[in-house]
Amino acid sequence: MTKVLAISGSLRSDSHNTNLLRNAVGLFGDDVEVEILDGLKDVPPYDEDDDREGASEAVHALRAAFAGADAVFISTPEYNSSIPGQLKNALDWVSRPLATNPLRNKPAAVVGASTGAFGAVWAQAELRKVLAAIGARVVEAEVAVGHAPTRFDEDGTLVDDDLREQLGEVAGALVSAVAERQELARTAA
Ligand SMILES: Cc1cc2nc3c(=O)[nH]c(=O)nc-3n(C[C@H](O)[C@H](O)[C@H](O)COP(=O)(O)O)c2cc1C
């Protein structure tokens, strides 16, 4: 069973990005278990002193969630043309120690939604850069949900067929990346 950790970069309850993640869950297939990360809001600001002296429970839970996943799927909003602080902060915690961090060589995919026209493309690009810098294997596929309030019905279901298809392609690319990585590990063993 492949395990995917899904993360919404938004903390608000009616988040379009969280809705996008929920729509993606059903597109992964039966042999994939998707866990949506809970507790992003509990992660304290990164402080190297705290990291040295013993990180909080929230940070241990965050790192364990990343360590237990075969792949990571993130839906990010765009705040002032970049990654929301709470998401970047969580990734900073996960990234240390750099040499052994749980994102190292792990397949990761990024999608995004915004109320503007472009679907958080700048935040997505910066997030891909950050993930790659941490050591993740970022898949190329993209979904940019612009004008987000018009793309979901009142139950939070994505109503745009093209976007749904693109979301399925990202899910497929992520699962393929996991399979390739497992195959590589098998042949290297
Ligand atoms: C602090 C802040 C900055 C924002 N900056 C941008 C931006 O640069 N580009 C954009 O498309 N939307 C921007 N927005 C609007 C977000 O796209 C919108 O709030 C969106 O719904 C956030 O995602 P969510 O629905 O998942 O919470 C910003 C919103 C906030 C609160």
Side-chain angles (χ1 to χ4, degrees), residues 10 12 15-17 77-81 113-116:
S10 173
R12 75 186 186 93
S15 160
H16 302 302
N17 283 280
E78 184 166 286
Y79 283 1
N80 299 308
S81 308
S114 74
T115 50

Side-chain angles (χ1 to χ4, degrees), residues 26-165:
L27 302 174
F28 270 99
D30 293 342
D31 50 346
V32 179
E33 186 185 311
V34 186
E35 176 199 340
I36 297 187
L37 181 79
D38 198 19
L40 188 61
K41 195 170 179 172
D42 301 327
V43 177
Y46 185 82
D47 179 330
E48 277 196 79
D49 294 336
D50 292 345
D51 205 2
R52 245 190 320 269
E53 285 156 22
S56 68
E57 264 313 301
V59 171
H60 285 303
L62 178 75
R63 285 174 168 158
F66 274 78
D70 298 304
V72 174
F73 183 92
I74 304 179
S75 185
T76 186
E78 184 166 286
Y79 283 1
N80 299 308
S81 308
S82 189
I83 307 166
Q86 66 275 8
L87 177 57
K88 174 64 164 51
N89 179 61
L91 292 175
D92 289 339
W93 277 109
V94 170
S95 72
R96 289 297 183 270
L98 192 58
T100 55
N101 84 72
L103 267 171
R104 213 163 180 81
N105 293 320
K106 192 158 282 182
V110 173
V111 299
S114 74
T115 50
F118 301 112
V121 285
W122 283 344
Q124 290 191 50
E126 296 201 349
L127 182 54
R128 290 189 186 98
K129 180 186 75 176
V130 167
L131 288 166
I134 295 172
R137 302 293 168 100
V138 186
V139 303
E140 291 294 328
E142 174 175 274
V143 182
V145 180
H147 301 301
T150 67
R151 309 290 191 203
F152 300 92
D153 68 15
E154 57 194 21
D155 299 324
T157 302
L158 194 58
V159 291
D160 185 309
D161 287 341
D162 287 343
L163 289 171
R164 175 167 285 279
E165 195 180 320

